[in-house]
Amino acid sequence: MKAIVWQGVNKVGVETVPDPTLLLPTDAIVKITSTAICGSDLHLLDGFIPSMEKGDILGHEFMGEVVEVGKAVKKLKVGDRVVVPFNISCGVCDYCVRGMYSACDNSNPNHRMAEALYGATSGGALFGYSHMYGGYAGGQAQYVRVPFADVGPHKIETGLKDEQVLFLTDIFPTGWQAAENCNIQPGRDVVAVFGAGPVGQFAIRSAYMLGAAHVIAIDRVSERLKMAQEAGAQTINYEQEDVLQALREATGGRGPDHVIDAVGMEAHGHGPGAALDKLQQTLKLSFDRITALRWAIQSCAKGGTVSLPGVYGGLVDKLPMGAAFAKGLTFKMGQTHTHKHIYPLLSRIEAGEIDPSFVITHRATLDQAPDLYKTFRDKHDGCIKVVLNPWA
Amino acid sequence: MTDQTDNTDKTENITIPEKTLFAALGAMFLASSLRSRSTLGTLVLGAAGAGMGYLALKGKQPLAPALKIEQTDTPGEVLIRDAVTINKPVEGLYAIWRNLPNLPHLMSHLQSVEVLDEKRSKWTAKAPLGQAVSWEAELTADEPGRRIAWQSLPGSTIENSGEVKFQPAPGQRGTQITVNMTYKPPLGATGAVLARLFGEEPAQQLRDDLMRFKREQELGFAPTTNGQTSGRPDAGQKTKTGEESPKAEQDQRKAGNA
């Protein structure tokens, strides 16, 4: 089959690899009908997530049709159409039982690698996202092996198109969880979203669905800001305005009640702090550039929440901890507990509250994907979200 | 046992053989330092020699703490401990550990445990470089559902002791299992460092053992990517190196029956 393969830092390519097979009786094989490139794949492309190996198959946002099931699989059968959460969870450990699927104790066979790197117990595994996160082959391919097939995949039984449900696998629940983590008081709270990329777009819409009185989006790319405005958000272009001052003005001097950092470890930005971050990251003295996180903490109103769906990978320094402490902020973060959000969000799609396909700007084949990784990274050609058809 | 009341920095933490080894290595480095033709060589070897000599005199072994090899107050004795929470009731987990011949299945460094009588058993473990060591041990405590403890009998090749404690985790989260083991490797803490260099990492092994046990109990199998596809030449082939392979197959069979 064809698959997108990590070939080294800044190198991905299309290769022909063996078809996946069942490795355990709890596995299923899914023929992929739609798959997407995620912003967090760019951290892999750029080499900022450790423990990638040449030959790893990328991709963690995908859906398709079940073509084979292991003997122990009970809920799925051949022919079922499914969306598959990007995180892999066992469904029986204490964390899964409590709905904290991304914190699964049991799904990562390389737990020791993550523990050695982080000095702490790790979360569960992810598809196509480094050996530290389990080393499972990803879904930017024609077929994928899905472990714990009775736990992750969710059947799509109505006539919704792939493009309407594909993002239930990651960016929609991720934006939703980011907004949910803010504990928004309906009709009262103002939410600022740093980064109007795909997750930011879903965070904006989720914040409104959860009752936010007002949402402000911060980015520098005009297409993204335009898409945010279409959802009803006020926008700030941080290259044209002083972000902190603009947010103060927009909120009568209070600052947004809650702030979502939908950017993560590769924040752009300007000024001496951003320059120093970039220098340190280039010299491998630090993994993360935290301009967006710094702005989030500095702008957030007293007693507010800083919610982090953006991925951080290593150690962070020059964090304005004094400001966070003085204002009594709450931090909420982590990988998305995708499994628990799929059904409620699918219901909202079915009810016509949202059509997630609004975010798609590019549709392509697997062969075109390596170029599109770069188009997406460089935000050229108005690129916000790429969906791939592995069979085109 | 040494006097444990004086546990200050002055306490020596190495054994006499270790001291002798350090002194010998120190002398060897110093001798090569004098023979070295380059100034840098003389300096480096000289410093190494002096360092070894210093360690021998001071009776301290800094590598073990640096490698997180934990030592007890008894010179040369290494402590390994870890804990895990398993989402299963105490009774069943205790019963599995109490069945001593089952222990090699739980602890990967053990080859066999043979029950000799009610108290005594014969243990065989893997040693570095493909060797095996055996010793006899006796149960020193057996509190059903709470604690099992054992101790090697006098005259054992490797003096060791251990205990496994079981307690219900708060909030109905199953059982907390705590394992403490001590052993005296040949050449004391230095021996433990050398063992680590040969790829034997008891603390890591214990952690892996406990995680494997947890997964067996909670899932009935071990998650794996062994044999999956990729863009590498060995794609789709099961690795025959390491111990995962037969284990994984065994787990597959088990999961199949589940």
Side-chain angles (χ1 to χ4, degrees):
Chain A
M1 67 165 183
K2 274 189 196 177
I4 303 298
V5 167
W6 193 85
Q7 298 170 330
V9 174
N10 281 319
K11 269 188 83 178
V12 299
V14 188
E15 292 181 16
T16 301
V17 303
D19 287 355
T21 53
L22 300 172
L23 300 181
L24 291 170
T26 44
D27 293 346
I29 304 293
V30 170
K31 177 183 177 182
I32 294 168
T33 52
S34 292
T35 179
I37 305 176
C38 178
S40 41
D41 287 330
L42 300 178
H43 307 317
L44 304 176
L45 179 72
D46 294 348
F48 291 127
I49 298 284
S51 81
M52 287 300 292
E53 287 175 19
K54 281 182 188 174
D56 286 345
I57 298 172
L58 297 171
H60 56 265
E61 289 182 313
F62 56 86
M63 62 177 296
E65 186 192 322
V66 176
V67 293
E68 200 180 344
V69 292
K71 274 179 286 179
V73 176
K74 293 185 179 75
K75 294 186 194 157
L76 286 189
K77 59 181 192 308
V78 171
D80 284 343
R81 182 170 175 237
V82 290
V83 290
V84 182
F86 75 99
N87 28 26
I88 300 171
S89 311
C90 78
V92 298
C93 71
D94 183 54
Y95 293 101
C96 285
V97 168
R98 288 192 285 151
M100 297 170 68
Y101 290 94
S102 72
C104 176
D105 263 344
N106 291 330
S107 61
N108 185 352
N110 301 332
H111 62 97
R112 88 155 54 178
M113 195 184 280
E115 285 166 12
L117 271 160
Y118 284 147
T121 56
S122 64
L126 312 176
F127 283 102
Y129 212 77
S130 86
H131 289 262
M132 177 170 91
Y133 281 109
Y136 289 94
Q140 285 165 11
Q142 292 180 312
Y143 295 95
V144 69
R145 167 197 170 224
V146 177
F148 301 101
D150 277 338
V151 184
H154 190 99
K155 280 187 233 181
I156 303 294
E157 290 167 309
T158 51
L160 292 166
K161 287 185 290 187
D162 273 20
E163 291 186 352
Q164 293 174 288
V165 291
L166 172 62
F167 303 131
L168 287 170
T169 62
D170 181 351
I171 53 172
F172 186 9
T174 298
W176 175 268
Q177 183 172 299
E180 203 179 56
N181 278 343
C182 292
N183 249 328
I184 296 167
Q185 289 202 35
R188 176 191 178 278
D189 285 355
V190 178
V191 179
V193 179
F194 280 90
V199 168
Q201 297 293 339
F202 281 105
I204 292 165
R205 285 156 180 81
S206 301
Y208 275 127
M209 286 193 270
L210 287 163
H214 188 55
V215 178
I216 307 167
I218 301 102
D219 205 296
R220 66 187 170 119
V221 182
S222 57
E223 296 87 358
R224 294 177 168 205
L225 293 172
K226 188 163 161 289
M227 195 179 265
Q229 282 164 5
E230 285 162 8
Q234 178 185 349
T235 57
I236 295 172
N237 182 328
Y238 69 82
E239 285 191 329
Q240 289 163 10
E241 291 182 79
D242 179 312
V243 177
L244 298 178
Q245 196 180 339
L247 280 171
R248 264 200 308 277
E249 281 173 22
T251 54
R254 304 181 308 276
D257 295 294
H258 310 291
V259 180
I260 294 171
D261 166 8
V263 179
M265 63 198 287
E266 291 183 74
H268 294 267
H270 43 64
L276 193 53
D277 281 345
K278 176 91 185 163
L279 178 69
Q280 284 185 307
Q281 197 184 39
T282 309
L283 296 174
K284 303 280 184 208
L285 291 174
S286 91
F287 286 113
D288 306 82
R289 306 196 298 256
I290 63 156
T291 305
L293 177 56
R294 224 175 268 134
W295 280 341
I297 293 171
Q298 288 163 338
S299 66
C300 192
K302 287 180 273 193
T305 311
V306 175
S307 167
L308 310 175
V311 174
Y312 287 92
L315 307 169
V316 160
D317 62 2
K318 302 182 299 302
L319 185 79
M321 203 60 202
F325 182 82
K327 293 196 280 186
L329 302 184
T330 297
F331 284 72
K332 295 279 274 182
M333 64 190 85
Q335 296 283 2
T336 312
H337 306 306
T338 318
H339 301 52
K340 79 166 179 186
H341 299 300
I342 287 187
Y343 179 71
L345 295 181
L346 177 62
S347 300
R348 285 180 187 262
I349 297 171
E350 284 170 345
E353 281 181 58
I354 184 169
D355 179 354
S357 63
F358 75 87
V359 79
I360 304 170
T361 53
H362 288 65
R363 293 169 176 85
T365 63
L366 281 188
D367 294 315
Q368 294 165 319
D371 286 340
L372 280 166
Y373 260 85
K374 284 169 189 160
T375 308
F376 179 37
R377 180 192 62 194
D378 303 333
K379 298 159 189 75
H380 285 159
D381 193 29
C383 184
I384 296 179
K385 189 70 183 177
V386 182
V387 173
L388 307 169
N389 176 353
W391 298 92
Chain B
M1 294 293 277
T2 50
D3 177 13
Q4 298 193 358
T5 51
D6 181 22
N7 196 12
T8 61
D9 228 25
K10 288 170 200 151
T11 317
E12 300 193 350
N13 73 346
I14 62 175
T15 51
I16 304 292
E18 283 180 276
K19 271 193 183 183
T20 317
L21 175 77
F22 286 153
L25 284 175
M28 206 177 78
F29 279 130
L30 283 174
S32 347
S33 134
L34 296 175
R35 281 201 304 273
S36 175
R37 287 188 192 156
S38 75
T39 323
L40 186 66
T42 308
L43 284 176
V44 170
L45 289 166
M52 287 287 180
Y54 176 75
L55 293 180
L57 284 175
K58 194 152 183 255
K60 277 255 178 202
Q61 205 276 65
L63 275 175
L67 289 171
K68 292 184 184 160
I69 291 172
E70 207 172 345
Q71 290 176 258
T72 67
D73 292 336
T74 311
E77 190 172 79
V78 176
L79 173 66
I80 308 154
R81 56 179 172 181
D82 214 324
V84 72
T85 301
I86 299 180
N87 206 353
K88 292 277 170 182
V90 169
E91 296 70 29
L93 300 178
Y94 160 83
I96 292 170
W97 283 82
R98 180 60 185 84
N99 178 13
L100 297 183
N102 201 27
L103 288 183
H105 181 59
L106 306 179
M107 301 163 100
S108 55
H109 71 284
L110 285 179
Q111 273 178 6
S112 66
V113 178
E114 199 183 323
V115 176
L116 302 174
D117 61 36
E118 217 163 86
K119 287 237 152 174
R120 289 184 316 127
S121 45
K122 187 185 175 194
W123 298 48
T124 306
K126 294 171 199 163
L129 303 172
Q131 303 294 303
V133 282
S134 287
W135 67 88
E136 284 187 16
E138 67 172 1
L139 282 180
T140 53
D142 178 19
E143 304 162 38
R146 298 164 65 94
R147 180 169 170 260
I148 304 164
W150 64 87
Q151 165 108 46
S152 63
L153 290 170
S156 297
T157 342
I158 294 188
E159 277 179 58
N160 69 89
S161 65
E163 66 165 358
V164 186
K165 286 187 284 190
F166 304 83
Q167 66 185 113
Q172 298 186 319
R173 282 181 285 190
T175 303
Q176 289 169 206
I177 298 181
T178 313
V179 181
N180 286 293
M181 292 192 291
T182 64
Y183 76 111
K184 283 189 179 173
L187 274 181
T190 307
V193 170
L194 291 174
R196 164 99 31 121
L197 296 180
F198 284 113
E200 294 285 320
E201 300 193 50
Q204 186 64 59
Q205 274 172 5
L206 176 61
R207 170 86 182 132
D208 287 348
D209 289 347
L210 291 178
M211 284 304 284
R212 201 180 54 240
F213 182 51
K214 173 183 167 72
R215 286 167 181 182
E216 265 172 30
Q217 290 302 311
E218 292 188 346
L219 299 177
F221 62 94
T224 185
T225 56
N226 192 6
Q228 74 173 354
T229 184
S230 74
R232 288 180 284 275
D234 66 349
Q237 290 162 24
K238 294 213 168 196
T239 52
K240 290 300 175 194
T241 54
E243 51 199 16
E244 208 211 335
S245 215
K247 183 79 189 60
E249 280 160 27
Q250 191 186 333
D251 288 327
Q252 282 182 46
R253 280 201 302 277
K254 250 195 241 165
N257 299 335

